[in-house]
Amino acid sequence: MDLGISGKWALVCGASKGLGRGCAEALVREGVNLVVNARSADALQQTAAQLREEGARAAGAAPQVIAVAADITTPEGRAAVFGAAGGPGKDFDIVVTNAGGPPPGDFRDWDRDAWVRAVDANMLTPIELIRATVDGMAARGFGRIVNITSSAVKAPIDILGLSNGARSGLTGFVAGAARSSIAARGVTINNLLPGRFDTDRLVGTINAAAAKTGKSVEEVRRMQQAAIPAGRYGTPQEFGAICAFLCSVQAGYMTGQNVLADGGAYPGTF
Ligand SMILES: NC(=O)c1ccc[n+]([C@@H]2O[C@H](COP(=O)([O-])OP(=O)(O)OC[C@H]3O[C@@H](n4cnc5c(N)ncnc54)[C@H](OP(=O)(O)O)[C@@H]3O)[C@@H](O)[C@H]2O)c1
């Protein structure tokens, strides 16, 4: 299916590896030009080079890929990515918000500073990115925002309290913003909720679970996968394909939604 977004410009944050990279790959294959962001310059440059090759191979028209190494949770980092697209965020047609998740732990150990860091990275940063881009999108009559959040928004995970809390704040904000006046002007905002996907981030949470329970890492992996109806972790490629669909022309009537990708792990009817 042609997603109708070839030639558009997308900002994909946290894109050097993992889920952000999966989204960047799926978009570049559709011929979307990219500004990709992560903090480590070397890893990001390598990814950008591979994305250029992937785009040239799949999309034919060799989409542009610009790498901006910056911390997206800072005002300076956001200014750097907006500068790369030629203006203060007005030129992006698609924005995929993403950054590292907060550390796991016990809520008794988190002080105010820990909470401020989590809220800043996983709630206020996506809101700042939305604020900077939606009006330009609405003026041009097309825009897609996809926030990478977490299945923890629907089914909280005890050791990820910082994530449960901060991302729920973003989810509430998006529910209102997506239904504001921008909805009638071609702009959609949706959240994409990963369950367990095989990335470096997952390795971190598995190690924490192993340390907490005294089980081996292999045992935790086996038990986690057995608890997922699909019987396995998801892949960044599967995640990216859903993201690209949410960014498509065809998904224009879908906004304010929380789309869960978890291999059936969430047990509810809705
Ligand atoms: N994987 C899962 O199963 C899962 C499940 C639920 C939720 N999530 C959430 O989904 C998001 C992505 O997870 P992932 O598994 O893809 O993680 P990952 O494999 O660790 O990749 C994270 C990416 O984000 C970049 N990044 C981190 N902090 C950043 C910052 N401040 N500014 C710019 N880039 C930053 C990293 O590069 P640098 O380190 O070089 O910046 C890397 O490219 C996280 O918020 C995670 O909590 C993941």
Side-chain angles (χ1 to χ4, degrees):
M1 180 163 61
D2 177 359
L3 299 185
I5 48 178
S6 178
K8 303 273 189 210
W9 271 94
L11 166 63
V12 185
C13 305
S16 66
K17 61 181 181 175
L19 303 180
R21 179 178 175 150
C23 296
E25 276 175 13
L27 289 170
V28 85
R29 267 190 235 118
E30 291 297 316
V32 175
N33 301 304
L34 299 178
V35 172
V36 286
N37 156 258
R39 292 165 303 180
S40 313
D42 287 352
L44 184 64
Q45 288 294 354
Q46 258 185 18
T47 297
Q50 289 160 0
L51 288 168
R52 282 183 205 105
E53 282 173 22
E54 185 65 32
R57 195 167 39 241
Q64 293 183 59
V65 180
I66 299 171
V68 180
D71 184 341
I72 199 66
T73 67
T74 65
E76 299 77 21
R78 291 189 287 276
V81 297
F82 292 144
K90 301 289 189 287
D91 294 331
F92 288 117
D93 308 297
I94 294 167
V95 174
V96 180
T97 76
N98 179 32
D106 186 312
F107 71 88
R108 294 166 190 82
D109 299 328
W110 299 324
D111 59 11
R112 180 180 161 75
D113 286 348
W115 274 104
V116 168
R117 276 195 300 278
V119 168
D120 213 16
N122 297 109
M123 178 182 171
L124 299 180
T125 293
I127 290 173
E128 285 291 326
L129 292 168
I130 291 167
R131 185 165 79 98
T133 54
V134 284
D135 289 335
M137 292 173 176
R140 294 190 300 277
F142 179 92
R144 299 284 184 266
I145 308 246
V146 177
N147 303 300
I148 299 180
T149 66
S150 174
S151 62
V153 170
K154 270 183 86 98
I157 301 166
D158 61 350
I159 59 168
L160 293 178
L162 291 169
S163 172
N164 301 337
R167 295 189 203 275
S168 294
L170 174 65
T171 305
F173 167 78
V174 165
R179 293 169 173 86
S180 70
S181 61
I182 59 165
R185 302 175 70 195
V187 181
T188 69
I189 313 181
N190 292 293
N191 302 318
L192 186 45
L193 285 55
R196 294 190 199 279
F197 281 79
D198 215 350
T199 68
D200 288 356
R201 162 78 179 174
L202 186 76
V203 171
T205 59
I206 290 171
N207 289 343
K212 190 177 175 191
T213 58
K215 295 188 168 62
S216 71
V217 165
E218 292 68 32
E219 207 176 346
V220 173
R221 285 184 77 92
R222 199 179 39 72
M223 285 171 62
Q224 284 186 351
Q225 295 189 71
I228 301 169
R232 62 175 178 85
Y233 296 132
T235 69
Q237 289 71 30
E238 289 173 314
F239 190 84
I242 303 169
C243 175
F245 177 72
L246 289 175
C247 296
S248 71
V249 166
Q250 289 88 341
Y253 202 50
M254 191 173 172
T255 195
Q257 300 305 301
N258 290 286
V259 179
L260 188 59
D262 69 348
Y266 179 74
T269 305
F270 298 104

